[in-house]
Amino acid sequence: MAEAFFQLQKEGILKKVVYGGEGDVPSFPDGAKAVFHYRTMKTDEERTLLDDSKHTSKPMELIFGKKFKLEVWEILLKTMKVKEVAEFTCDIKHTAVYPLVAKSLRDIAKGHTEHKGSSHCCGMMALADHGMGYADLDELVKKPQSLVFVLELLELILPEQYEKESWSMNEAEKLESIPRLRTAGNDAYRRKEYEEAAGKYGQALAMLEDLMLQEKPGEEEWHHLDDMKRPLLLNFCQCKLLTEDFYPVITHTSDVLQREPDNVKALFRRAKAHAAVWNVKEAQEDFVRVTTLDASLEGAVKKELAKLDQKVKVKDEQEKSRLKGMFS
């Protein structure tokens, strides 16, 4: 423990333990997630409060090894036990970027989540010229100073103990997650939990899109990823049909049909979606093409066409009655 305090002092950090926490200081492997509260104060006599995460809806989360902008927080947390509360006074070299981080966290808490990419240096220069939107942070940009961070480590979650979000995964982790998400989607579908199933398929599709952006279109790996994508799109569309969200079905089945014009599942699902939103001509064309490609579906198509014809007749009768009432 004394060695840890000494190393912090060498780095321009003074630590004071407020509450000792539980057990020993754990290991903090890359990918582990710290859940913690933070309070940020100036070092003036009044210890002016800048930020307190307990005033927002939830604690802060930090994943180790992902190069969080305020790097000193990783250093501080790695000296703490779970449930420990500690106060750290940090030199200017560790706190200069705090205004950028605080602005982002405050904006997110207010529901403003737009982030513009910039380096720390360029971002600080631009904000010094144009302002942060918060007077206390503007002052810190113009006059950098040492700060006090009071951290409370609520929980440490190891990488294998939580499901990572897509943004925190590398390529290999995304590729490993896609089959698991597809299986989870299939399980939810069998339970008739179609919204949940669509969510799992959607997560897998988003990861595939991210991976495809890193490949050159038309090359072998891109085609391999695209081949993985189409069955997921069809599963997603089936869930959307069952939850009566028809326009995404038309969009995504059309995407599949661009690559596989004779995909019967895509045609049949698109036909049903067209019928549901009164695209009568398009629905009829897709249904006819389905029977051309797969005669075994002729009975199912006849039922769908009969339902569509009946809907059209009912609508025509309603329109005639409406017009008759207008002119009688």
Side-chain angles (χ1 to χ4, degrees), residues 29-43:
D30 284 353
K33 181 193 291 186
V35 182
F36 63 101
H37 277 301
Y38 67 92
R39 187 163 75 251
T40 307
M41 300 175 290
K42 293 184 179 181
T43 57

Side-chain angles (χ1 to χ4, degrees), residues 100-240:
L100 273 177
V101 174
K103 173 179 169 55
S104 295
L105 294 173
R106 292 181 189 185
D107 286 349
I108 290 168
K110 290 180 177 180
H112 307 312
T113 55
E114 181 180 352
H115 294 82
K116 295 180 180 178
S118 64
S119 69
H120 295 344
C121 178
C122 294
M124 292 299 287
M125 289 173 64
L127 290 166
D129 291 338
H130 303 294
M132 307 283 283
Y134 303 95
D136 54 352
L137 299 182
D138 289 336
E139 180 191 348
L140 287 181
V141 172
K142 293 172 183 175
K143 297 179 181 179
Q145 55 193 270
S146 299
L147 294 173
V148 177
F149 300 116
V150 179
L151 304 184
E152 179 182 358
L153 181 55
L154 303 172
E155 187 178 9
L156 178 68
I157 309 172
L158 297 176
E160 64 273 15
Q161 294 175 331
Y162 71 96
E163 185 175 332
K164 290 185 179 181
E165 295 181 44
S166 178
W167 65 266
S168 68
M169 295 182 183
N170 58 35
E171 290 183 31
E173 288 170 331
K174 287 178 182 177
L175 280 171
E176 289 174 6
S177 293
I178 289 165
R180 289 201 298 269
L181 286 166
R182 182 176 180 178
T183 298
N186 293 345
D187 291 342
Y189 185 87
R190 281 192 287 270
R191 297 192 302 269
K192 298 185 178 181
E193 295 172 357
Y194 303 124
E195 291 282 3
E196 181 183 338
K200 296 298 182 183
Y201 296 138
Q203 284 180 264
L205 286 164
M207 290 183 189
L208 279 168
E209 292 284 359
D210 287 344
L211 292 168
M212 290 175 73
L213 286 173
Q214 299 172 46
E215 303 295 337
K216 188 175 179 180
E219 292 195 344
E220 183 178 352
E221 185 58 27
W222 187 92
H223 281 298
H224 172 66
L225 294 169
D226 193 48
D227 288 341
M228 292 173 63
K229 179 180 169 183
R230 290 196 295 283
L232 284 165
L233 275 175
L234 290 172
N235 290 354
F236 179 80
C237 289
Q238 179 63 12
C239 293
K240 289 296 181 180

Side-chain angles (χ1 to χ4, degrees), residues 279-295:
N279 295 336
V280 176
K281 180 174 177 292
E282 291 86 348
Q284 290 170 338
E285 289 174 351
D286 279 350
F287 279 133
V288 169
R289 183 152 173 73
V290 166
T291 56
T292 302
L293 293 168
D294 189 345

